[in-house]
């Protein structure tokens, strides 16, 4: 039994790619193969289970500042933010947006609601493509992420499940989630990502394995530029069985950030297609454990929608026609209007020797 967060359209106009995903899923009637649920918004208490009181208060003051400027017909830009906003990560890659407080509560509420459906054993698989905001820190916005719904969802899951496995497939390292749980042995964070000098967020070295009682419960697999489907899936298949055997998770959370797809304008370093994501997700689904599936990055909106629609089809056991049905966003998929995602011509700089050494080191640490 599968549930899908249907609260996409409430996110407009801030991030309209959520509506593209929802519309493409609906165009294939995949929503009819699931139970679609409108989740509750998170409240202040929910946010405080991870985020600091000062950060939550600052989000409100930033929101109030935006409203005041709008009412007085002043230009609304980052210069209008409270003076200490930079300390909380607001501005630059986390600019102020309209209705910031509501936005944060919707994002967080979707993942918390999904987690509660797993803890109540109402469903065994839940999807929130609006979630996966893995960079936000306890008291700081970061990397387009104003709230760490992943951490909030995992915290909810821990009320029921003894051991949580978090898998991060985003091209950027899931630093916010790792930092939140780096001292605990009850949450294992596993991230496959790109790491190079100057590439955001600059963390996720293979040597980062957790701290204190959590030492050995962080697994990082940093890949070089041009990672292909073969490279990506190979490291996943060669390392995940050891993680599963040793950790014995009770529940799995998998973040499927789509910015590793070929041609992503921001991720811009991997050469993946949806095939890589499908093969990794299939391995997770075969574990037959309660599973939460989240979105994340993805800045080619059409390809992100293609990828997550294909993953939704995998979860629901449906085979989709390659020709995209006509719907509200149909013109965004031109010129071929096909569901498939093609790899580019970027060379894969991950040599066999590099991958073999990487896998061996991961296995030695686990």
């Amino acid at each position: 039994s599968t549930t899908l967060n249907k609260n996409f359209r409430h996110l407009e106009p801030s991030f309209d790619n959520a509506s593209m995903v929802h519309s493409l899923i609906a165009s294939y009637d995949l929503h009819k193969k699931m139970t679609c649920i409108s989740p509750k918004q998170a409240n202040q208490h929910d946010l405080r289970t991870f985020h600091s009181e000062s950060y939550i208060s600052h989000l409100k003051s930033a929101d109030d500042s935006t409203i005041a400027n709008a009412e007085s017909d002043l230009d609304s830009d980052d210069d209008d933010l409270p003076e200490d906003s930079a300390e909380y990560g607001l501005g630059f890659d986390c600019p102020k947006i309209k209705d910031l407080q509501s936005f944060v509560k919707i994002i967080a509420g979707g993942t918390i609601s999904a987690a509660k459906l797993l803890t109540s054993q109402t469903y065994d698989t839940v999807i929130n493509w609006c979630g996966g905001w893995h960079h936000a820190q306890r008291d700081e916005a970061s990397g387009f992420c104003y709230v760490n719904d992943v951490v909030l969802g995992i915290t909810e899951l821990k009320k029921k499940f003894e051991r949580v496995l978090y898998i991060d497939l985003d091209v950027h390292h899931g630093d916010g989630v790792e930092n939140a749980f780096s001292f605990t042995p009850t949450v294992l964070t596993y991230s496959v990502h790109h790491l190079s000098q100057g590439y955001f967020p600059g963390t996720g070295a293979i040597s980062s394995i957790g701290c204190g009682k959590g030492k050995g419960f962080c697994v990082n697999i940093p890949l070089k530029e041009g990672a292909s489907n073969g490279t990506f899936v190979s490291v996943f298949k060669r390392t995940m069985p050891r993680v599963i055997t040793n950790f014995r998770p009770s529940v799995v959370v998998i973040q499927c950030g789509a910015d590793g797809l070929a041609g992503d304008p921001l991720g811009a370093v991997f050469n993946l297609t949806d095939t890589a994501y499908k093969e990794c997700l299939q391995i997770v689904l075969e574990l037959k454990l309660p599973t939460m599936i989240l979105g994340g990055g993805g800045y080619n909106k059409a390809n992100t929608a293609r990828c997550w629609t294909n993953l939704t089809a995998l979860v629901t056991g449906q085979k989709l026609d390659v020709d995209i049905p006509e719907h509200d966003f149909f013109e965004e998929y031109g010129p071929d209007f096909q569901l498939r995602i093609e790899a580019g011509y970027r060379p894969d700089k991950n040599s066999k020797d590099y991958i073999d050494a990487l896998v061996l080191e991961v296995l030695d640490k686990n």
Side-chain angles (χ1 to χ4, degrees), residues 279-294:
E279 290 195 32
C280 293
L281 180 56
Q282 182 63 46
I283 291 170
V284 171
L285 295 175
E286 288 174 357
L287 298 174
K288 303 295 185 183
L289 292 171
T291 301
M292 180 191 295
I293 303 168
L294 301 174

Side-chain angles (χ1 to χ4, degrees), residues 165 181-190 206-220 242-243 246-247 362-366:
L165 171 60
F181 298 111
S182 60
F183 283 87
T184 176
T186 59
V187 178
L188 189 149
T189 59
Y190 173 105
I206 194 169
S207 58
S208 179
I209 60 171
C211 307
K213 291 183 179 180
K215 189 174 182 179
F217 293 88
C218 293
V219 178
N220 284 299
R242 177 70 64 85
V243 169
N246 289 351
F247 184 59
V362 169
L363 296 179
D364 283 345
K365 294 178 184 299
N366 288 274

